[in-house]
Amino acid sequence: MSREIIEIKSDRDIEKMRVSCQMAAETLVLVGERLRAGMTTEEINTLVHKDTVRRGAVPSPLNYHGFPKSVCTSINEVVCHGIPGPRRLLPGDIINVDVTTYYNGFHGDTSATFYVGAVSPQARLVTEVARRSLDLAIAVVRDGARIGDIGEVIQGYAEGEGCSVVRDFAGHGIGRRFHCAPQVAHYRLKKGEENPRLRAGMVFTIEPMINLGTWEVEVDPVDKWTARTRDRKLSAQFEHTLLVTQQGCEVLTRRSVPLANSETVDLLASVL
Ligand code: MF3
Ligand code: CO
Ligand code: CO
């Protein structure tokens, strides 16, 4: 993956990326609106599957390297790649829902962590650090910056808040393929590691997974997908798909409304 050429998208491809990314963003907004204590992750899967198909699109996760469902649902100590099933959401849970939509030849990928009812201060901390670490990373993306600037800002911020950064999973180039170059580490690169310059027209995800305890994860030996923190402490994640531009970047999966059950609307800002 790492020595592959990083594609520069044409204007035509970028327009198609905008469409699939906006579909993924809208489906994620719908998940936030419907999320309730008592619902199962299977019900989230059905919601995402139906909403994706209704758009004439395909849920990218379904059958991807054998993944059995249409969305990833990762609760509490699950870092990523949680498989929807009979587990019911309980008040106090945090859950990442990761939506990827394939439409007209292109994938769009976005995720968010939601609060189920009132959550512990710890759950709020890890979720807000994950949210902020993505926002800080987005702010350093521009033509001429380096891929390593992303991990630098995420690790610096998250560890300063007493959290850790998962190393086993990375952001990724995206387009006609779900995962391609570049690999986007969310931690500081070692000397000598490949650290390409970002160029306008590159499209990739940033998707930091932030843990309350150890950064180490283990993959479920039975289902071969579910990744959990080794110490079973909480983990949270947010993801956007970005287009690098001369001045900065375009967040292709940007939402036009705040996410219910995750983003708090600033009351004062909404009045002004
Ligand atoms: N959407 C995930 C990502 O952000 C990948 C999920 S792969 C799957 O890269 F097979 F689990 F769906
Ligand atoms: Co991704
Ligand atoms: Co994703």
Side-chain angles (χ1 to χ4, degrees):
M1 183 184 271
S2 63
R3 299 235 163 247
E4 241 176 274
I5 276 169
I6 306 172
E7 188 191 5
I8 303 294
K9 259 78 173 170
S10 68
D11 290 350
R12 272 176 50 206
D13 290 358
I14 289 168
E15 198 42 53
K16 291 177 187 171
M17 285 294 303
R18 285 194 182 104
V19 175
S20 14
C21 284
Q22 278 304 300
M23 286 184 176
E26 287 172 16
T27 301
L28 190 63
V29 166
L30 177 67
V31 168
E33 286 167 356
R34 298 288 179 80
L35 199 87
R36 294 283 179 276
M39 85 191 293
T40 66
T41 51
E42 181 69 48
E43 290 173 310
I44 297 173
N45 183 71
T46 302
L47 178 65
V48 168
H49 187 91
K50 287 191 173 162
D51 190 62
T52 305
V53 168
R54 173 185 77 73
R55 296 169 189 278
V58 172
S60 310
L62 188 59
N63 299 319
Y64 181 74
H65 293 286
F67 191 78
K69 296 287 178 174
S70 298
V71 65
C72 297
T73 52
S74 303
I75 299 176
N76 296 340
E77 75 284 358
V78 178
V79 171
C80 62
H81 302 165
I83 302 173
R87 166 72 152 85
R88 285 186 192 281
L89 303 186
L90 302 171
D93 283 339
I94 55 173
I95 177 172
N96 174 278
V97 179
D98 191 340
V99 174
T100 315
T101 303
Y102 183 69
Y103 181 78
N104 197 17
F106 289 84
H107 298 272
D109 194 7
T110 185
S111 85
T113 298
F114 298 95
Y115 297 120
V116 184
V119 306
S120 68
Q122 297 276 75
R124 198 164 279 274
L125 173 73
V126 72
T127 304
E128 295 310 316
V129 170
R131 189 196 315 276
R132 175 77 52 100
S133 69
L134 173 57
D135 292 345
L136 292 172
I138 288 172
V140 305
V141 173
R142 61 172 179 80
D143 185 279
R146 287 191 184 272
I147 208 95
D149 299 346
I150 292 167
E152 185 71 39
V153 65
I154 293 170
Q155 187 173 356
Y157 168 69
E159 289 185 355
E161 297 298 319
C163 296
S164 67
V165 179
V166 170
R167 308 175 72 89
D168 301 56
F169 303 98
H172 50 91
I174 183 168
R176 286 183 183 79
R177 286 195 289 147
F178 191 169
H179 295 98
C180 53
Q183 183 166 304
V184 182
H186 302 115
Y187 54 88
R188 207 169 283 129
L189 295 177
K190 297 259 178 300
K191 268 211 170 71
E193 273 190 270
E194 213 186 345
N195 188 10
R197 243 181 235 288
L198 304 180
R199 287 301 174 203
M202 291 180 178
V203 176
F204 55 81
T205 74
I206 305 179
E207 47 183 298
M209 286 142 273
I210 304 298
N211 297 352
L212 265 188
T214 180
W215 56 268
E216 291 174 287
V217 309
E218 53 192 35
V219 175
D220 189 294
V222 177
D223 71 29
K224 305 277 204 291
W225 281 103
T226 311
R228 295 184 180 83
T229 55
R230 280 196 70 179
D231 58 11
R232 302 298 188 262
K233 292 187 179 173
L234 296 174
S235 184
Q237 179 182 25
F238 288 82
E239 174 177 25
H240 273 306
T241 300
L242 314 170
L243 165 69
V244 181
T245 64
Q246 288 297 339
Q247 299 82 11
C249 70
E250 181 179 329
V251 180
L252 297 174
T253 46
R254 163 162 284 146
R255 298 173 280 276
S256 51
V257 294
L259 280 179
N261 291 298
S262 184
E263 289 163 342
T264 46
V265 183
D266 186 320
L267 284 177
L268 190 60
S270 68
V271 171
L272 293 175

